[in-house]
Coordinates of all heavy atoms in Angstrom, one line a residue:
A221 N 223.5 7.8 44.5 CA 224.7 8.1 45.3 C 225.3 9.4 44.8 O 225.8 9.5 43.7 CB 225.7 7.0 45.2
P222 N 225.3 10.4 45.7 CA 225.9 11.7 45.3 C 227.4 11.7 45.6 O 227.9 10.7 46.2 CB 225.2 12.7 46.3 CG 225.0 11.9 47.5 CD 224.7 10.5 47.0
R223 N 228.1 12.7 45.1 CA 229.5 12.8 45.4 C 229.7 13.3 46.9 O 230.7 12.9 47.5 CB 230.2 13.8 44.4 CG 230.2 13.3 43.0 CD 231.0 14.2 42.1 NE 230.8 13.8 40.7 CZ 231.5 12.9 40.1 NH1 232.4 12.2 40.8 NH2 231.3 12.6 38.8
R224 N 228.9 14.2 47.3 CA 229.0 14.8 48.7 C 227.7 15.0 49.3 O 226.7 15.2 48.6 CB 229.8 16.1 48.6 CG 231.2 15.9 48.1 CD 232.0 17.3 48.1 NE 231.4 18.2 47.1 CZ 231.8 19.5 47.1 NH1 232.6 20.0 48.0 NH2 231.3 20.3 46.2
V225 N 227.6 15.0 50.6 CA 226.4 15.3 51.4 C 226.6 16.4 52.4 O 227.7 16.6 53.0 CB 226.0 14.0 52.2 CG1 224.8 14.3 53.1 CG2 225.7 12.9 51.2
A226 N 225.6 17.3 52.5 CA 225.6 18.4 53.4 C 224.4 18.3 54.3 O 223.3 18.2 53.9 CB 225.6 19.7 52.7
L227 N 224.6 18.3 55.7 CA 223.6 18.1 56.6 C 223.3 19.4 57.3 O 224.2 20.2 57.7 CB 223.9 17.1 57.7 CG 224.3 15.7 57.2 CD1 224.7 14.8 58.3 CD2 223.1 15.1 56.4
A228 N 222.0 19.7 57.6 CA 221.5 20.8 58.3 C 220.7 20.3 59.5 O 219.7 19.7 59.3 CB 220.7 21.8 57.5
V229 N 221.2 20.5 60.7 CA 220.5 20.0 61.9 C 219.4 20.9 62.3 O 219.6 22.1 62.5 CB 221.5 19.9 63.1 CG1 220.8 19.3 64.4 CG2 222.7 19.0 62.7
G230 N 218.2 20.3 62.4 CA 217.0 21.1 62.6 C 217.0 21.9 63.9 O 217.6 21.5 64.9
L231 N 216.3 23.0 64.0 CA 216.3 23.9 65.1 C 215.7 23.2 66.4 O 216.1 23.5 67.5 CB 215.4 25.1 64.8 CG 215.4 26.2 65.9 CD1 216.8 26.7 66.2 CD2 214.5 27.4 65.5
G232 N 214.9 22.2 66.2 CA 214.3 21.4 67.3 C 215.4 20.6 68.1 O 215.1 20.3 69.2
F233 N 216.5 20.3 67.4 CA 217.6 19.6 68.1 C 218.6 20.5 68.7 O 219.5 20.1 69.4 CB 218.3 18.6 67.2 CG 217.4 17.5 66.6 CD1 217.0 17.5 65.3 CD2 217.0 16.5 67.4 CE1 216.2 16.5 64.8 CE2 216.2 15.5 67.0 CZ 215.8 15.5 65.6
L234 N 218.6 21.8 68.4 CA 219.6 22.7 68.7 C 219.3 23.5 70.0 O 218.1 23.7 70.3 CB 219.8 23.7 67.6 CG 220.2 23.1 66.2 CD1 220.2 24.2 65.1 CD2 221.6 22.5 66.3
H235 N 220.3 24.0 70.6 CA 220.2 24.9 71.7 C 220.9 26.2 71.3 O 222.1 26.4 71.4 CB 220.9 24.3 73.0 CG 220.4 23.0 73.4 ND1 219.2 22.8 74.0 CD2 220.9 21.7 73.2 CE1 219.0 21.5 74.2 NE2 220.0 20.9 73.7
P236 N 220.2 27.2 70.8 CA 220.8 28.4 70.3 C 221.0 29.4 71.5 O 220.3 29.4 72.5 CB 219.7 29.0 69.4 CG 218.4 28.4 69.8 CD 218.7 27.1 70.5
K237 N 222.1 30.2 71.4 CA 222.4 31.1 72.5 C 223.2 32.2 71.9 O 224.2 32.0 71.2 CB 223.2 30.3 73.6 CG 223.6 31.2 74.7 CD 222.4 31.5 75.6 CE 222.8 32.2 76.9 NZ 221.6 32.5 77.8
Q238 N 222.8 33.5 72.3 CA 223.6 34.6 72.0 C 224.6 34.8 73.1 O 224.2 34.9 74.3 CB 222.7 35.9 71.9 CG 223.2 37.0 71.0 CD 222.6 36.8 69.6 OE1 221.6 36.2 69.4 NE2 223.3 37.4 68.6
V239 N 225.9 34.6 72.8 CA 226.9 34.6 73.8 C 227.8 35.8 73.8 O 227.9 36.5 72.8 CB 227.8 33.3 73.7 CG1 226.9 32.1 73.9 CG2 228.4 33.3 72.3
K240 N 228.4 36.1 74.9 CA 229.4 37.2 75.0 C 230.7 36.5 75.5 O 230.8 36.0 76.6 CB 229.0 38.2 76.0 CG 227.8 39.0 75.5 CD 227.4 40.1 76.5 CE 226.2 40.9 76.0 NZ 225.8 42.0 77.0
L241 N 231.7 36.5 74.6 CA 233.0 35.9 74.9 C 234.1 36.9 74.8 O 234.0 37.8 74.0 CB 233.3 34.7 74.0 CG 232.2 33.6 74.0 CD1 232.5 32.6 72.9 CD2 232.3 32.9 75.4
P242 N 235.2 36.7 75.5 CA 236.3 37.6 75.4 C 237.0 37.5 74.0 O 236.9 36.4 73.4 CB 237.3 37.2 76.5 CG 236.9 35.8 76.8 CD 235.4 35.7 76.5

Side-chain angles (χ1 to χ4, degrees):
R223 297 185 186 276
R224 297 182 291 170
V225 175
L227 303 179
V229 180
L231 185 58
F233 297 109
L234 301 174
H235 304 285
K237 181 71 174 181
Q238 209 91 24
V239 296
K240 293 183 179 179
L241 299 174

